[in-house]
Amino acid sequence: MNEKHFEQMKNGKGFIAALDQSGGSTPKALALYGVTEDQYSGEEEMFDLVHEMRTRIITAPAFDSSQIIGAILFEQTMDREIEGKYTADYLWEKKGVVPFLKVDNGLDTESNGVQQMKPIGDLEDKLKRANERNIFGTKMRSVIKEPNPEGIKAAVDQQFEIGQQIIEADLVPIIEPEVDINSTDKEKCEELLKAEILKHLDQLGSDDHVMLKLTIPTVANTYKELIEHPNVVRVVALSGGYETETANEKLKENNGLIASFSRALTQDLNVNQSEEEFNKQLGQAVTSIYEASIT
């Protein structure tokens, strides 16, 4: 484990930029950016365009460690280069930003009110390449839609089982059991989720470290115990589809919780903006999310 990465993630002031849209979410990310599906043909062109978008974001003046402490990458982004360096090396060496890798293969069908992760048959290979590319940690996402104790337990069990494999590969897993913001009983989901996570945290070895990525809770400071747990490097919040202003206001209510936003970071960026306009919009978004994260 890179100790400088660990120190920054444990104590750094700022937030994590989520730049890891993949597969089915890539066309949506491009459409939000102003690139419609009739402007590219096939996956290769699509991923070329999304790498251009991410390169534009990462190389922008506002994207550095003064406000952003980490960035989550899609596998193809990790394997591509920015200005002659692999993306993770560019992030750390040029921007001072700690790189993470999304390792899940998407969501399975819903069962017992949750969507667990699809099997990650190529996990060992991904972790090997992540280490070769100087990645610090990983991220994997499942989704909770209903307060079903059996379903929530299964989702958290799966997250920590795979998380242990990631720890053994000398990487820090970001465990992300997202609670759907449209859940009919979001607060109850969060109570059950917190209890299950605490059970697993208390079973970790003293040198085992994880991060948690959770939906901003309905009741402020619900996750205080998780934030303070000795095995937790950091608890970060996903925007969950909230607009930037709403996500930031909710985030400010939670002490010690920092952002790991995707849509809320990039929603006002457009391929047709001039560099001046693009950098201004990104700078405003970065600053607003940073201020909400350190409140």
Side-chain angles (χ1 to χ4, degrees), residues 70-228:
I72 305 170
L73 307 175
F74 170 48
E75 189 176 355
Q76 282 205 23
T77 308
M78 176 186 73
D79 289 332
R80 292 182 183 237
E81 295 183 353
I82 296 177
E83 297 181 2
K85 292 180 179 289
Y86 282 114
T87 304
D89 291 332
Y90 182 89
L91 279 168
W92 181 245
E93 294 173 14
K94 296 293 186 179
K95 295 288 188 165
V97 173
V98 177
F100 291 82
L101 174 67
K102 173 188 180 293
V103 294
D104 68 76
N105 291 328
L107 299 170
D108 217 334
T109 54
E110 183 176 340
S111 176
N112 289 328
V114 307
Q115 285 183 276
Q116 294 192 54
M117 295 177 286
K118 291 179 180 177
I120 313 176
D122 56 348
L123 180 63
E124 186 175 341
D125 175 64
K126 284 181 180 177
L127 300 181
K128 179 176 180 290
R129 290 192 298 113
N131 276 310
E132 291 171 351
R133 294 281 185 264
N134 299 316
I135 296 289
F136 170 69
T138 66
K139 192 214 78 161
M140 50 191 177
R141 171 178 172 262
S142 44
V143 176
I144 296 166
K145 298 186 175 183
E146 297 175 10
N148 181 306
E150 183 180 346
I152 292 173
K153 180 182 185 301
V156 176
D157 285 350
Q158 183 194 41
Q159 285 273 350
F160 275 88
E161 180 182 350
I162 298 171
Q164 192 61 51
Q165 293 177 250
I166 293 164
I167 290 169
E168 290 169 4
D170 203 28
L171 298 163
V172 175
I174 298 179
I175 288 167
E176 183 185 5
E178 172 184 347
V179 174
D180 190 330
I181 62 171
N182 299 309
S183 170
T184 53
D185 197 342
K186 180 171 172 285
E187 183 179 342
K188 182 62 176 177
C189 289
E190 289 159 353
E191 290 173 3
L192 292 168
L193 175 61
K194 175 184 171 182
E196 288 298 329
I197 291 174
L198 280 170
K199 287 178 190 176
H200 281 276
L201 291 177
D202 289 340
Q203 294 170 8
L204 293 175
S206 59
D207 294 326
D208 293 342
H209 295 97
V210 302
M211 294 175 59
L212 302 169
K213 183 169 179 176
L214 306 172
T215 308
I216 304 171
T218 300
V219 177
N221 296 311
T222 289
Y223 297 131
K224 182 175 183 291
E225 288 174 83
L226 304 181
I227 291 168
E228 295 174 349

Side-chain angles (χ1 to χ4, degrees), residues 234-293:
R234 210 70 179 256
V235 181
V236 303
L238 57 100
S239 53
Y242 290 127
E243 297 293 329
T244 307
E245 185 176 347
T246 302
N248 285 340
E249 288 305 312
K250 289 180 178 294
L251 185 64
K252 288 176 184 177
E253 298 172 355
N254 291 270
N255 300 325
L257 190 65
I258 68 170
S260 177
F261 290 171
S262 174
R263 177 179 172 179
L265 174 65
T266 61
Q267 67 181 30
D268 294 322
L269 304 179
N270 190 280
V271 66
N272 298 312
Q273 290 169 331
S274 67
E275 288 308 291
E276 182 180 359
E277 292 171 323
F278 180 90
N279 290 337
K280 180 182 178 182
Q281 287 291 344
L282 181 61
Q284 289 174 344
V286 166
T287 298
S288 69
I289 296 169
Y290 170 79
E291 289 176 348
S293 293

